[in-house]
Amino acid sequence: MSAASFSAAESKRFSSAVADFSAVSSCFDIEDLSLAYDDKPALCDLTLRVPRHCVTAFIGPSGCGKSTLLRSLNRLHDLNDQVSRNGRIQLEGQDIHARDMDVAELRRRVGMVFQTPNPFPMSIYENVAYGVRLQGVKRKRELDEIVEWALQSAALWEEVKADLHASAWTLSGGQQQRLVIARTLAVRPDVLLLDEPASALDPISTLKIEELIRSLKSQLTLILVTHNMQQAARVSDYTAFLHAGELIEYAPTDTLFTNPRLRRTEDYITGRVG
Amino acid sequence: MRIPRLSGDGVWRWLSGACVALSLLAVVALLALVVTRGLAHFWPADIEQLTLDDGQRIAGIPRGSQAGERRYFTANRDLDGQVWRWVEQQAIESRGTPPDLLYVERRDWGPFIGRLTAVETPAGERLQGAEAERRLRRALRGDADVTTLHLRNVEGRSLKVAFAQVASLSWPNRMDIGDKLAAWGHGVWRFLSETPSDGNTGGGVWPAIFGTLLMVMLMSLVVTPFGVLAALYLNEVARQGPLTRLVRIAVRNLAGVPSIVYGVFGLGVFVYGLGGHLDSWFFADRLPSPTFGTGGLLWASLTLALLTLPVVIVATEEGLARVPVALREGSLALGATRFETLRRVVVPMALPSMLTGVILAVARAAGEVAPLMLVGVAKLAPAIPLDDEFPFLHLESKFMHLGYLVFDLGFASRDAEAAMPLVFATATLLVIVILVLNVTAIILRHHLRARHRALEHS
């Protein structure tokens, strides 16, 4: 099914689904976003609103462009010369590609947690303080407070408070991932991008991360990329299903999982394809 | 009997293992040869006195034998015109080690072997026999004065030597093992601490040790920032493409250019070009005698810095490339700029590799001789280029170098054979100096790593 026939056949129901979002204020407004690696299209004409203070999940088969989309939101593609982009992304009404946009400040506001835990080769304390120091905070008392707060927010404080100066690389994978979340929270972002944050973790660590995601919703907007359908269903409020760089269906999670409008979505979430 | 069948795997394992063993053996043999022959030079060996069947008498230190002939180091170049004697084993009538045989190292004419007949004191007294010897021993300790020594070789020819000409003096046949050890230690110490004399074949090599160390340090001071910054630019700043690839290939090939070519380059660009201009701008009053327009410490250091630049660049680049993209992205995602990421995450992680590059550069530079001959090394420069006279460090002065000294002793001295033990001793020293430089750099690297860790913990 091509994109054109999809929009023709389903436009009515799709717009009704989009209408659901008008009730909530949006965090990200993505308009007609297209992106290509070296002329190889990765995203095609994506239009999507990410509601504020919710968990939005991007699901879809490998290579569907969900991670690419996520990395567009904090302009991490800037580092790659081969990436070309079209379309507009707005964060709280501000164009993130505007000339006067400070990329470093954008990335502070839009934190990101990666698939594989990537703590720096420093102590636990220094990992959390890293971003805070970049913001110019130097006073030890202030740093200590922020580090403790961030570690508590990431539900890691109890496990590491005995030795904050141990190397971060001595922690387990799950602890490292929570440390990375704490590190990101410490700079007080408005949005947290999570790129399959639990895919490298065991079930118990995954559970902890999921609890954490739910608890953070009150503080910030979360966007979760995941392979795991159950995870999306468990933690997200809205789910977007992407396929081959296109947005196929986007709806409140309950609706999408119990009553998908499209056959393709249903096939994917029930495991028949993808 | 079962003969174990060698599979391809087994053959492969044995072959590669044998190659490793052979290489190790070669290294150990090389070091053992150089070190033992170098250190044996300072051992006060017994002096033999021979009477031949034709009535000739010879005194000397046995140094090997070949096809029924024994070789003796007889010293006394001024009396005999030669320092080596081959003696047919059958021609030797009697052989002994008389206790009164004396070994004198002189500042000119090399060593003397023979007997003491008398000493003269400043008062004009002439002391003989046991009294002369007592006085001489006191004089050597600095308790008494002696002006002249009257010596006689075993064939009865006599010789006068001014006391000031005596570098050291001993009766090796009377020494017990403790005395000999002490004399050996003293000899090694003199070798390390004194300036050369007698066409470099006497005295010590201190200026060469100092020159080598100073030159290598100056070289590291230049090559480290240049190499590291170049690697940072290539790896972190420059847009990766055909041009950076080309530059990389060029840098790697630069490492393969013969070192003498660098010497020629240094001579043309640094000495004649830069040095000539410096002279005409700042030292015009001294022209036509050149100040910077001739080989010197600075130009030698710069030439070697150029020579070792590829090593530092390649090592640093490898270190930078090993820093995982995930960590860079992690830092950027926290709102760090590219520069902050570089400074706080990438460079600290690549620091050990950078230091490894510097260590390799030091090892290479310390052993390099060929280019130095063109840009500033001297056969004899007894004054070290660092003193209490402004500007303290004399970058324009010529300097001595251990590697060059090995070449000079072995091939350019009056008696290459007599100097051979010194060649080994100097080579041993060169190996030790390089070892010390490397160990220092490794300790520094370790220390920096530890400090980096400590910083993380503060």
Side-chain angles (χ1 to χ4, degrees):
Chain A
M1 193 194 286
S2 78
S5 60
F6 151 68
S7 39
E10 307 282 342
S11 59
K12 206 177 157 202
R13 291 179 66 185
F14 183 69
S15 33
S16 72
V18 171
D20 288 343
F21 298 108
S22 58
V24 289
S25 55
S26 67
C27 171
F28 271 113
D29 274 302
I30 303 166
E31 279 170 56
D32 300 324
L33 181 71
S34 296
L35 201 136
Y37 291 107
D38 250 346
D39 304 327
K40 228 179 72 198
L43 295 174
C44 301
D45 284 329
L46 235 90
T47 300
L48 177 83
R49 282 177 73 188
V50 177
R52 190 185 290 163
H53 288 280
C54 291
V55 180
T56 304
F58 296 163
I59 61 168
S62 295
C64 71
K66 51 194 194 302
S67 287
T68 305
L69 175 60
L70 199 68
R71 293 163 76 92
S72 320
L73 300 179
N74 65 349
R75 288 183 59 181
L76 215 53
H77 289 308
D78 285 14
L79 300 172
N80 194 337
D81 300 330
Q82 277 119 39
V83 174
S84 54
R85 170 196 52 86
N86 260 311
R88 205 151 70 124
I89 302 172
Q90 284 182 311
L91 171 62
E92 312 277 354
Q94 247 183 313
D95 186 353
I96 66 165
H97 294 99
R99 216 165 263 283
D100 59 349
M101 174 56 80
D102 177 354
V103 185
E105 173 61 11
L106 170 74
R107 293 197 186 123
R108 184 202 59 80
R109 285 176 63 193
V110 184
M112 185 162 187
V113 172
F114 299 80
Q115 187 170 358
T116 324
N118 58 349
F120 302 128
M122 307 171 184
S123 67
I124 294 165
Y125 182 96
E126 280 305 317
N127 261 282
V128 182
Y130 182 88
V132 188
R133 284 190 204 274
L134 291 175
Q135 300 306 314
V137 177
K138 288 203 176 73
R139 290 223 325 274
K140 179 111 174 67
R141 280 259 306 278
E142 205 174 334
L143 277 173
D144 288 351
E145 274 169 25
I146 296 173
V147 169
E148 183 177 343
W149 171 82
L151 285 169
Q152 269 171 346
S153 304
L156 189 62
W157 176 252
E158 291 304 321
E159 289 158 65
V160 299
K161 66 178 177 187
D163 192 4
L164 288 176
H165 298 299
S167 165
W169 288 7
T170 59
L171 297 176
S172 73
Q175 287 174 323
Q176 287 190 7
Q177 198 61 302
R178 276 179 286 149
L179 176 67
V180 172
I181 294 175
R183 180 174 84 181
T184 311
L185 292 177
V187 294
R188 303 268 183 179
D190 303 328
V191 187
L192 188 57
L193 309 176
L194 299 141
D195 190 358
E196 302 188 37
S199 68
L201 305 180
D202 64 276
I204 293 176
S205 302
T206 304
L207 198 70
K208 284 186 178 165
I209 298 279
E210 286 179 11
E211 275 169 15
L212 186 58
I213 291 171
R214 274 195 294 267
S215 72
L216 288 172
K217 201 159 71 169
S218 59
Q219 296 171 32
L220 35 73
T221 305
L222 294 109
I223 304 175
L224 170 73
V225 160
T226 181
H227 260 124
N228 184 333
M229 239 77 65
Q230 284 75 27
Q231 188 172 60
R234 278 196 298 265
V235 300
S236 70
D237 302 306
Y238 295 91
T239 300
F241 171 54
L242 281 81
H243 190 275
E246 287 173 44
L247 179 65
I248 305 299
E249 186 161 351
Y250 183 33
T253 303
D254 289 344
T255 318
L256 190 111
F257 277 92
T258 53
N259 189 19
R261 284 169 297 113
L262 291 176
R263 181 66 192 278
R264 268 208 290 181
T265 315
E266 194 181 341
D267 284 350
Y268 181 71
I269 57 180
T270 51
R272 275 198 287 270
V273 275
Chain B
M1 199 180 86
R2 254 184 68 210
I3 298 167
R5 224 183 98 237
L6 276 177
S7 60
D9 195 33
V11 170
W12 180 244
R13 190 156 8 141
W14 277 100
L15 208 64
S16 49
C19 287
V20 171
L22 208 66
S23 318
L24 273 177
L25 200 69
V27 171
V28 169
L30 174 104
L31 280 179
L33 175 87
V34 172
V35 170
T36 51
R37 295 199 50 182
L39 293 179
H41 173 63
F42 304 102
W43 184 255
D46 281 349
I47 304 171
E48 285 184 8
Q49 181 171 333
L50 313 173
T51 312
L52 304 185
D53 47 10
D54 58 358
Q56 225 191 118
R57 276 194 290 187
I58 295 169
I61 299 163
R63 290 266 192 243
S65 60
Q66 197 178 13
E69 287 192 63
R70 292 168 65 91
R71 191 169 76 142
Y72 283 90
F73 177 71
T74 54
N76 305 358
R77 197 167 64 225
D78 44 345
L79 295 178
D80 307 337
Q82 59 179 5
V83 292
W84 297 100
R85 282 288 291 276
W86 285 96
V87 179
E88 264 185 61
Q89 208 124 28
Q90 281 132 339
I92 298 173
E93 207 128 85
S94 71
R95 212 165 78 183
T97 53
D100 57 340
L101 277 179
L102 183 69
Y103 186 89
V104 186
E105 256 184 58
R106 298 174 293 180
R107 302 207 188 276
D108 285 317
W109 293 108
F112 167 85
I113 290 174
R115 293 191 169 79
L116 182 72
T117 48
V119 296
E120 275 177 37
T121 64
E125 274 180 289
R126 192 184 154 106
L127 306 172
Q128 288 184 316
E131 214 177 328
E133 201 183 308
R134 266 202 302 279
R135 181 65 177 236
L136 187 56
R137 283 183 189 278
R138 281 176 58 205
L140 288 170
R141 283 198 303 269
D143 295 343
D145 283 330
V146 164
T147 53
T148 311
L149 276 63
H150 291 260
L151 304 169
R152 202 180 62 215
N153 76 352
V154 285
E155 284 179 309
R157 292 177 61 186
S158 53
L159 176 78
K160 281 207 298 192
V161 175
F163 185 69
Q165 278 285 309
V166 176
S168 83
L169 186 150
S170 60
W171 286 269
N173 296 356
R174 279 189 208 155
M175 291 163 121
D176 60 23
I177 190 84
D179 294 335
K180 287 199 173 188
L181 268 176
W184 179 81
H186 185 65
V188 170
W189 171 245
R190 280 184 43 224
F191 182 66
L192 296 178
S193 61
E194 285 187 2
T195 53
S197 62
D198 199 16
N200 289 351
T201 54
V205 295
W206 167 240
I209 300 174
F210 192 85
T212 309
L213 286 174
L214 188 63
M215 197 257 323
V216 168
M217 278 174 196
L218 285 174
M219 186 271 329
S220 329
L221 281 184
V222 177
V223 77
T224 310
F226 264 86
V228 167
L229 286 177
L232 279 175
Y233 182 84
L234 264 182
N235 214 59
E236 305 290 326
V237 184
R239 184 186 286 257
Q240 302 301 312
L243 194 65
T244 46
R245 254 206 310 281
L246 198 72
V247 171
R248 272 202 193 93
I249 292 169
V251 165
R252 275 163 177 72
N253 278 317
L254 220 53
V257 172
S259 56
I260 192 76
V261 176
Y262 282 96
V264 174
F265 177 85
L267 185 71
V269 173
F270 295 139
V271 177
Y272 294 152
L274 262 174
H277 282 103
L278 280 179
D279 272 3
S280 59
W281 292 334
F282 302 111
F283 303 99
D285 50 328
R286 292 194 211 163
L287 283 172
S289 75
T291 310
F292 275 103
T294 175
L297 188 58
L298 179 65
W299 303 140
S301 305
L302 286 184
T303 305
L304 284 193
L306 208 63
L307 178 97
T308 52
L309 196 59
V311 180
V312 178
I313 293 180
V314 169
T316 307
E317 269 214 279
E318 273 166 11
L320 291 172
R322 265 206 302 272
V323 177
V325 178
L327 290 185
R328 295 164 191 263
E329 286 186 340
S331 169
L332 290 167
L334 282 170
T337 61
R338 284 181 74 174
F339 177 72
E340 285 165 337
T341 302
L342 203 60
R343 196 172 75 82
R344 289 166 183 259
V345 175
V346 179
V347 170
M349 283 190 81
L351 202 61
S353 300
M354 295 177 188
L355 275 160
T356 303
V358 175
I359 290 168
L360 290 173
V362 163
R364 170 112 201 253
E368 206 57 74
V369 180
L372 295 180
M373 294 200 226
L374 293 168
V375 292
V377 86
K379 178 184 169 72
L380 183 66
I384 59 175
L386 187 70
D387 57 28
D388 53 0
E389 215 174 288
F390 185 81
F392 311 118
L393 179 61
H394 301 280
L395 291 173
E396 79 286 359
S397 60
K398 300 221 179 250
F399 64 101
M400 293 184 76
H401 187 273
L402 284 171
Y404 181 70
L405 194 62
V406 169
F407 165 78
D408 181 64
L409 284 167
F411 302 98
S413 66
R414 226 171 2 225
D415 184 355
E417 206 173 356
M420 218 23 101
L422 274 174
V423 168
F424 284 107
T426 312
T428 306
L429 204 55
L430 184 59
V431 171
I432 291 170
V433 164
I434 292 173
L435 204 70
V436 166
L437 281 169
N438 277 312
V439 168
T440 314
I442 288 166
I443 289 171
L444 186 76
R445 174 172 69 176
H446 189 81
H447 181 74
L448 275 179
R449 259 190 207 154
R451 204 179 67 173
H452 183 234
R453 239 177 263 132
L455 268 180
E456 286 157 9
H457 290 187
S458 67

